[in-house]
Amino acid sequence: MSFYAGLIIISSVAGGFWFVFLLITRHIRYFSPNTDNMFLVQTAAQSSRWRWLSDLHKFGETKTGMMEMTVIGIAFFQKIFRDKEGDRPYIAWGGFMAAIAAILAYLVGHSYWKADISLVISLLILISFWLWQVALYGGHANTAAVLALLSVYIVQHGWLFLGGILFGLTQFSSRSAVKYTPLFLGALFYEKYRLL
């Protein structure tokens, strides 16, 4: 199988999964008050009042710290759905990040293995319940996964400075993003010593 055929397959399947996920969750409501979901959605709803991106901390609760990139993504989806109070933009963002993570896993994997193996790995990631469960109850972890995979992909192509910036943004997507540090450092090490 060629690289582009695999990319078309995984992109189509990921898009289909996201579409079905949006249909299934279209009437979803907050699980309970005072959750991360609620605080992130309320902070993103104030995006029209931000003069600078750092202003989101003026309108956010303490639970939005280290989740800035997720809040920005939610604000974008709130504008698409025209919904600043519901949970749907948050969940749509988390599901979108799950689909993008599967596509990026294919791209990253293709640098190490053949297209067939990369496609199987990314399909396994896509059909796992974990990404979709995280999209429901903690989409910020999916945002961190996407930025970490994107930073590895950029490093694989020799753009170390840009990869470092993206990895830095990963740390501002989720408090649990520190777990991606070995992945990023491993990609840097492999890129430097690839010829060995």
Side-chain angles (χ1 to χ4, degrees):
M1 172 188 334
S2 73
F3 167 75
Y4 292 107
L7 184 60
I8 290 169
I9 290 169
I10 192 60
S11 298
S12 302
V13 173
F17 269 61
W18 183 51
F19 181 73
V20 169
F21 181 74
L22 286 176
L23 284 177
I24 291 170
T25 61
R26 69 186 176 276
H27 299 299
I28 199 156
R29 297 286 178 248
Y30 288 115
F31 181 69
S32 63
N34 299 323
T35 59
D36 283 353
N37 295 29
M38 188 185 80
F39 290 121
L40 292 173
V41 167
Q42 288 175 349
T43 302
Q46 304 298 321
S47 64
S48 61
R49 298 172 60 191
W50 304 343
R51 288 185 52 219
W52 304 96
L53 289 179
S54 62
D55 284 347
L56 70 92
H57 296 290
K58 292 179 183 175
F59 302 103
E61 298 286 333
T62 57
K63 290 194 173 214
T64 59
M66 300 306 291
M67 296 187 211
E68 290 84 353
M69 299 307 295
T70 303
V71 171
I72 292 168
I74 294 167
F76 178 71
F77 270 69
Q78 283 178 338
K79 288 176 177 45
I80 291 173
F81 286 106
R82 295 180 183 182
D83 178 4
K84 292 190 174 192
E85 296 178 6
D87 212 18
R88 191 161 187 227
Y90 177 82
I91 291 170
W93 172 257
F96 180 68
M97 290 291 102
I100 297 298
I103 295 168
L104 284 170
Y106 174 79
L107 294 173
V108 168
H110 189 266
S111 294
Y112 301 121
W113 307 291
K114 295 180 181 179
D116 299 342
I117 295 170
S118 300
L119 182 61
V120 168
I121 290 169
S122 56
L123 286 172
L124 286 173
I125 289 170
L126 192 62
I127 64 171
S128 75
F129 290 112
W130 182 76
L131 285 176
W132 305 103
Q133 184 96 16
V134 167
L136 288 173
Y137 296 110
H140 48 86
N142 286 353
T143 305
V146 165
L147 286 170
L149 285 167
L150 187 58
S151 68
V152 168
Y153 181 71
I154 295 295
V155 164
Q156 288 174 338
H157 288 81
W159 298 339
L160 303 181
F161 183 73
L162 181 58
I165 290 172
L166 286 170
F167 186 70
L169 292 176
T170 302
Q171 304 307 310
F172 292 96
S173 301
S174 174
R175 290 184 197 111
S176 63
V178 71
K179 67 186 172 200
Y180 295 113
T181 303
L183 174 72
F184 181 73
L185 294 177
L188 279 174
F189 182 81
Y190 182 82
E191 192 59 36
K192 181 169 173 116
Y193 298 107
R194 179 188 293 239
L195 297 177
L196 296 178

